[in-house]
Amino acid sequence: MSMADTVLKAEKISRQVSSPEGTLTILAQVDLAIAAGETVAIVGPSGAGKSTLLALLAGLDEPSSGQVWLNGAELTALDEDGRAAVRARHVGFVFQSFHLVPSLTAIENVMLPLELAGLPNAREAGAEVLAKVNLSPRREHYPRQLSGGEQQRVAIARAFVTSPAVLFADEPTGNLDAATGERIIDLLFELNRAAHTTLVVVTHDQAIAQRCGRIIRIEAGRIVS
């Protein structure tokens, strides 16, 4: 895989934290390359380091050692403001707990990343992507007025509204019942295909993992397959 094809690259990244028992290694010497347009599942037991790896790849956290590149930008050479700017331009997020702003309506939540980036026509773009997730009738509702599945659809719309190069999803169905979760995953993959986005999903759900083009398994902070 050439660097031109690679949208995410990690070289020998490790993450250690201090604990009462001493230094704890969460990730150890991880190498990884993900091509533009790939769908990748990161799987493994609880505590294996999956969410930590996602946070490092997305520039939400810094590795203790090693380097990370996202869409050509070396995240590990940037300060927090620099990493935030790269995320704003190139990254979308879908989390288990939705992370909607409770004081904003559905459409205002979707508009938020566009407004933060200073992009024009935020309301029109927000309305268009809410229509794609079948929430036009609910766009003036607040998160507390929406079901869990509806809140996650708003979160997915917000993630896609900036046309990100990479979409990170961390246990996107973790707070949903099985039937709602299946509909959310169908929607996520459908929008991803249409947008040609690179999708990186942390999941315990083997059915979700099997829908991805590649499965990366982590155990005890190391990639094992």
Side-chain angles (χ1 to χ4, degrees), residues 132-210:
K132 290 180 181 177
V133 300
N134 299 314
L135 277 181
S136 293
R138 311 282 274 166
R139 64 187 185 186
E140 300 301 334
H141 288 64
Y142 291 91
R144 66 180 179 275
Q145 299 171 307
L146 303 173
S147 69
E150 288 171 334
Q151 289 185 62
Q152 194 62 302
R153 279 153 62 192
V154 173
I156 288 171
R158 181 182 59 190
F160 276 104
V161 75
T162 56
S163 301
V166 186
L167 193 143
F168 293 99
D170 193 355
E171 299 287 1
T173 61
N175 280 343
L176 304 173
D177 63 77
T180 303
E182 193 170 327
R183 289 195 295 272
I184 288 295
I185 289 301
D186 285 344
L187 177 64
L188 186 62
F189 277 89
E190 179 185 322
L191 287 178
N192 191 69
R193 277 192 299 273
H196 306 293
T197 301
T198 304
L199 178 63
V200 181
V201 185
V202 166
T203 184
H204 282 98
D205 189 329
Q206 281 302 308
I208 295 173
Q210 292 297 330

Side-chain angles (χ1 to χ4, degrees), residues 13 16 23 32 40 45 48 55 58-59 63 84 102 115 129 131 143 150 159 188 198 208 219-220:
I13 56 170
Q16 283 100 23
T23 300
L32 180 62
V40 177
E115 293 182 320
V129 73
E150 288 171 334
L188 186 62
T198 304
I208 295 173
E219 291 182 5

Side-chain angles (χ1 to χ4, degrees), residues 8-223:
L8 278 170
K9 184 177 175 65
E11 283 189 352
K12 296 193 169 14
I13 56 170
S14 297
R15 185 73 173 95
Q16 283 100 23
V17 296
S18 298
S19 75
E21 291 77 34
T23 300
L24 179 66
T25 298
I26 301 172
L27 284 177
Q29 298 284 300
V30 169
D31 290 314
L32 180 62
I34 296 174
E38 267 199 284
T39 53
V40 177
I42 299 174
V43 304
S46 294
K50 302 184 300 296
S51 292
T52 298
L53 176 59
L54 184 145
L56 295 179
L57 293 175
L60 293 170
D61 195 6
E62 294 181 90
S64 303
S65 60
Q67 295 169 285
V68 179
W69 290 265
L70 193 157
N71 217 31
E74 186 186 341
L75 296 177
T76 37
L78 300 173
D79 61 12
E80 174 49 38
D81 287 345
R83 294 195 304 273
V86 171
R87 288 195 301 272
R89 286 196 304 272
H90 302 301
V91 175
F93 292 101
V94 178
F95 295 102
Q96 177 175 337
S97 52
F98 318 137
H99 287 312
L100 300 180
V101 180
S103 60
L104 299 181
T105 62
I107 193 165
E108 288 168 344
N109 267 283
V110 175
M111 290 164 55
L112 189 59
L114 296 173
E115 293 182 320
L116 290 174
L119 297 173
N121 305 316
R123 181 164 287 274
E124 291 87 342
E128 184 179 334
V129 73
L130 273 178
K132 290 180 181 177
V133 300
N134 299 314
L135 277 181
S136 293
R138 311 282 274 166
R139 64 187 185 186
E140 300 301 334
H141 288 64
Y142 291 91
R144 66 180 179 275
Q145 299 171 307
L146 303 173
S147 69
E150 288 171 334
Q151 289 185 62
Q152 194 62 302
R153 279 153 62 192
V154 173
I156 288 171
R158 181 182 59 190
F160 276 104
V161 75
T162 56
S163 301
V166 186
L167 193 143
F168 293 99
D170 193 355
E171 299 287 1
T173 61
N175 280 343
L176 304 173
D177 63 77
T180 303
E182 193 170 327
R183 289 195 295 272
I184 288 295
I185 289 301
D186 285 344
L187 177 64
L188 186 62
F189 277 89
E190 179 185 322
L191 287 178
N192 191 69
R193 277 192 299 273
H196 306 293
T197 301
T198 304
L199 178 63
V200 181
V201 185
V202 166
T203 184
H204 282 98
D205 189 329
Q206 281 302 308
I208 295 173
Q210 292 297 330
R211 293 182 65 164
C212 292
R214 179 156 55 121
I215 298 174
I216 294 170
R217 184 168 183 81
I218 295 184
E219 291 182 5
R222 295 180 184 274
I223 291 177

